[in-house]
Amino acid sequence: MAKIVFVHYEFRDRVGVMSLSAKLKQNGHQTDVFCLEEERNAVESILKSKPDIVGFSACTSEHKFLLACAGELKKISPNLLILMGGPHATFYPDVIKEPSVDITCRGESDDAIVELLDCLDNGTSFENIKNCCVKSNGNVKSNDVRPLIQDLNSLPFPDRDIYFSKYPTLANNPTKMFLGMRGCPFPCTYCFNMSMLKLYKGKGKYLRLRSPDNFVQEIKGVKERYFLKWVNINDDTFNVDREWLYEFLEIYKKEIALDFLCNIRVDCLDEEMVKCLKDAGCDRVIFGVEHGNEEIRKKILKRNITD
């Protein structure tokens, strides 16, 4: 088995890292995680964990901190493989040119990261793995992204233990985040989804939903295993599919019965839906206004919502 250590800056549990960790463990690999904001001697601790590869999960706002950490790791252990994934590597692929970065992974990486660690475990070449850009002797091999995973139910539930066994503060947080879908059907010009749609053009349906029962079972498992008082459903547009939403709310009310918050589109909302959300335990919704001028909102931002 191979081992990857995930590293990001801010002190919070990330569903993306947890999802990748679950997929890797399902395939026999080992994982660990370090939040730099919480670690006093991060470089020393990362190396002590003895990883085969270090994977930096980078948002653009934090990538400089992570590159600095990667540089320190390379100074001490020049042959240690450094991978960068997440939004920054996806939308700024030139980060592969940074001296401390050996591999980048773009887009949804569930299968790519398993294939990568399989190659490390077997001692075989990983230069042709889809979703990855690989640097060797100064040359970069950029590979296309693979088709999007259509059946989200086929994925294991996120591995929350990777954080909660290490950071009690996160385990004891009464609010925990959940995702029931991937993608968004709306063409807002300012949103990252527009770039993802271009990246994955011809690679399968972009908006994909887990079955309501599958989603509830994940939440139920977390409720039974960890401290949970408030559910944060952080999907981009939770109310995008009315039939799916009503089925989910019915099961959630019976199986979970905890207050929750969600992100919604107001143009997909009506009084009936408000009542159903409230009845199931929704006590807060978040929606974007984006601009106070309706004409700019509609013509420039492509957000066709009236005042």
Side-chain angles (χ1 to χ4, degrees):
M1 66 180 71
K3 181 176 183 178
I4 185 170
V5 166
F6 293 104
V7 181
H8 56 84
Y9 182 76
E10 61 183 346
F11 184 48
R12 71 174 178 89
D13 44 332
R14 287 185 171 175
V15 176
V17 169
M18 294 188 287
S19 298
L20 295 180
S21 178
K23 185 76 172 176
L24 286 164
K25 287 182 176 179
Q26 185 183 62
N27 285 270
H29 298 295
Q30 293 181 312
T31 66
D32 199 352
V33 69
F34 290 89
C35 304
L36 297 186
E37 197 173 34
E38 186 68 6
E39 298 287 339
R40 290 189 176 183
N41 301 299
V43 171
E44 180 182 339
S45 298
I46 290 166
L47 292 174
K48 194 176 290 185
S49 185
K50 297 183 179 179
D52 296 294
I53 185 169
V54 177
F56 288 91
S57 175
C59 296
T60 300
S61 59
E62 64 182 3
H63 72 285
K64 290 184 179 180
F65 297 104
L66 301 181
L67 287 172
C69 180
E72 290 299 313
L73 288 169
K74 281 288 193 181
K75 283 181 185 177
I76 300 170
S77 183
N79 295 323
L80 179 63
L81 281 174
I82 301 292
L83 164 73
M84 183 165 281
H88 190 76
T90 296
F91 302 124
Y92 296 94
D94 279 356
V95 74
I96 187 67
K97 296 177 182 178
E98 292 287 342
S100 59
V101 178
D102 302 301
I103 310 166
T104 61
C105 206
R106 304 182 69 198
E108 296 183 4
S109 305
D110 308 80
D111 292 326
I113 201 156
V114 171
E115 189 176 343
L116 175 59
L117 264 69
D118 283 347
C119 288
L120 295 179
D121 196 23
N122 299 328
T124 54
S125 172
F126 47 79
E127 67 175 11
N128 296 316
I129 295 175
K130 289 186 176 181
N131 292 73
C132 291
C133 298
V134 181
K135 184 164 61 185
S136 178
N137 299 320
N139 298 314
V140 175
K141 173 74 185 299
S142 297
N143 299 302
D144 192 11
V145 295
R146 66 192 69 209
L148 290 162
I149 296 171
Q150 297 298 304
D151 180 13
L152 299 186
N153 284 8
S154 67
L155 297 172
F157 294 159
D159 171 29
R160 295 176 190 270
D161 200 50
I162 191 177
Y163 288 99
F164 296 167
S165 64
K166 186 170 196 169
Y167 299 118
T169 302
L170 297 179
N172 294 328
N173 186 345
T175 303
K176 292 178 172 62
M177 185 185 295
F178 299 85
L179 296 174
M181 60 188 76
R182 293 184 181 183
C184 181
F186 296 102
C188 306
T189 55
Y190 56 86
C191 182
F192 79 94
N193 280 304
M194 289 298 291
S195 296
M196 286 289 280
L197 280 165
K198 291 177 184 176
L199 180 65
Y200 279 103
K201 186 177 181 180
K203 300 291 185 178
K205 185 179 178 182
Y206 184 56
L207 176 64
R208 293 143 292 147
L209 291 79
R210 298 163 62 179
S211 70
D213 184 65
N214 176 272
F215 190 25
V216 169
Q217 290 309 309
E218 181 200 343
I219 301 170
K220 185 177 181 180
V222 173
K223 181 184 176 185
E224 291 172 349
R225 256 192 100 186
Y226 307 107
F227 180 51
L228 181 64
K229 292 183 67 176
W230 204 38
V231 174
N232 177 3
I233 298 174
N234 202 38
D235 296 301
D236 293 336
T237 313
F238 183 56
N239 64 330
V240 68
D241 186 315
R242 180 181 293 265
E243 183 179 346
W244 182 94
L245 177 66
Y246 285 179
E247 184 180 346
F248 169 83
L249 293 176
E250 184 177 349
I251 303 171
Y252 182 93
K253 182 180 177 181
K254 294 176 182 176
E255 298 282 340
I256 309 299
L258 290 175
D259 290 345
F260 70 93
L261 72 94
C262 58
N263 303 315
I264 57 119
R265 287 265 304 205
V266 292
D267 56 340
C268 297
L269 193 69
D270 56 29
E271 289 298 324
E272 179 191 34
M273 188 179 288
V274 169
K275 290 176 182 176
C276 289
L277 284 163
K278 177 64 177 176
D279 184 58
C282 181
D283 69 345
R284 191 173 308 181
V285 298
I286 300 168
F287 64 90
V289 175
E290 313 307 349
H291 203 285
N293 184 297
E294 186 175 316
E295 185 176 9
I296 290 176
R297 194 161 56 242
K298 289 183 175 182
K299 291 185 177 179
I300 296 177
L301 303 182
K302 302 301 180 186
R303 193 169 177 85
N304 192 29
I305 297 175
T306 65
D307 284 343

